[in-house]
Amino acid sequence: MSSKKLLLSIAAVLAAILAYGQTLHLRKDKLKVKEAMALITENTGCQFIYASGDIDTTRTVSLNASSLHQALQQSFEGQDLSFRVSGKSIIIKKEA
């Protein structure tokens, strides 16, 4: 592998790690999952990728999160979903 490709690979991994551990201060009670997702996007610049039928976006949740990971866990708790952060994308999938 060339040095340039190696450096690009390392940079991509570091970007994903930094996005996933991104510090947030989100505290909000009684909001819909759809609103929580909009709040996360507004505060991180991350966009969500998911199949529309996989997430109950009308469910009510409360956020008290200091990281992106916590905010995502609290937003999708009890919905049998998995999520992964890749750069500025949050990929959400229904568990099989």
Side-chain angles (χ1 to χ4, degrees), residues 50-75:
Y50 62 97
S52 61
D54 287 352
I55 301 173
D56 180 0
T57 58
T58 62
R59 185 179 186 154
T60 301
V61 297
S62 293
L63 295 179
N64 185 8
S66 58
S67 71
L68 176 56
H69 181 75
Q70 280 183 330
L72 293 170
Q73 282 182 319
Q74 292 170 10
S75 296

Side-chain angles (χ1 to χ4, degrees), residues 18-20 22-26 37-48 67-69 71-72 85 87-90:
L18 290 173
Y20 191 69
Q22 185 171 351
T23 301
L24 296 175
H25 298 288
L26 298 178
M37 292 168 68
L39 193 59
I40 291 168
T41 296
E42 180 183 312
N43 281 273
T44 65
C46 291
Q47 298 295 316
F48 287 89
S67 71
L68 176 56
H69 181 75
L72 293 170
V85 178
K88 285 290 188 178
S89 298
I90 301 168

Side-chain angles (χ1 to χ4, degrees), residues 4 6 13 16-17 22 33-36 39 46 78 82 86 88:
K4 190 174 185 177
L6 179 62
V13 169
I17 290 168
Q22 185 171 351
V33 169
K34 185 176 184 176
E35 296 169 324
L39 193 59
C46 291
S82 64
S86 179
K88 285 290 188 178

